[in-house]
Amino acid sequence: EYVQYRGSAAGFRATAASVPGPTTEPFAAVARETGTWILAGTHAEASGDPARPYNTAVLLDRSGSIAATYRKLHLFDVAVEDGPADTESARVTPGERAVVARVDGTALGLSICYDLRFPELYRALALAGAEVLAVPAVFTATTGRDHWEPLLRARAIENGAYVIAAGGCGPGGPGAIAAWGHSMVVDP
């Protein structure tokens, strides 16, 4: 999550661009050069509100073409006792739909970070045929310690699907919340 920028809200807004565009093109070039599918984390995608871009996951095929995009549905509006507080909805426009894409014959359900706390999204993805659920995330260090792995395992078990979760880690740039990391793949 936030692969092209992780820091202040002002910086996130300032880096917003169209998709495809300057933040996705380097990933498209790697996909073309290596002949590999790439789920390029998330990008600040320009929306109709310049103060609130979308938080968008971009799936690129082997030719570097965009196969699917997913705009984060559930925004992190949370205050943790003795922990971080964040109002993602103040800087991000939410998406409107669940997305399942075909990757070489396998159905991949797309999600982003805080979506992990909403089992109905993953159920919808599974009912739409998703066999693998992708979760790029910058899960906070505070909540990640207790919730990251159990939630990933729950989504795999309850949907009979594999879960691939890339977790950003460390402090990030100025204005960013420390992230838990602990990327993993979970089987059904």
Side-chain angles (χ1 to χ4, degrees):
E1 186 179 26
Y2 296 117
V3 69
Q4 111 299 335
Y5 179 84
R6 189 166 151 232
S8 69
F12 180 73
R13 281 190 293 276
T15 62
S18 61
V19 170
T23 66
T24 59
E25 183 48 41
F27 294 97
V30 171
R32 283 190 296 274
E33 291 167 16
T34 61
T36 304
W37 285 81
I38 296 176
L39 178 55
T42 71
H43 302 261
E45 179 190 7
S47 73
D49 180 351
R52 295 173 58 230
Y54 295 108
N55 183 357
T56 303
V58 179
L59 179 65
L60 301 154
D61 68 16
R62 295 175 190 279
S63 71
S65 296
I66 293 179
T69 59
Y70 166 72
R71 295 171 174 161
K72 187 175 184 180
L73 287 171
H74 301 96
L75 303 182
F76 186 69
D77 288 357
V78 173
V80 177
E81 187 176 328
D82 298 325
D86 193 6
T87 308
E88 190 175 24
S89 63
R91 67 180 182 280
V92 174
T93 296
E96 297 177 355
R97 63 185 178 87
V99 175
V100 175
R102 300 297 298 180
V103 177
D104 290 344
T106 299
L108 177 68
L110 302 177
S111 67
I112 300 169
C113 197
Y114 190 60
D115 284 333
L116 188 57
R117 294 189 177 278
F118 298 86
E120 65 275 11
L121 170 60
Y122 295 90
R123 198 69 210 123
L125 293 169
L127 290 171
E131 302 160 275
V132 178
L133 305 167
V135 190
V138 175
F139 226 73
T140 72
T142 302
T143 59
R145 184 174 10 269
D146 296 327
H147 300 165
W148 175 245
E149 184 176 344
L151 287 170
L152 291 170
R153 292 177 71 189
R155 299 300 85 91
I157 293 165
E158 68 199 6
N159 293 296
Y162 288 86
V163 174
I164 53 174
C169 62
I177 294 173
W180 177 241
H182 295 80
S183 298
M184 65 183 70
V185 176
V186 182
D187 71 22

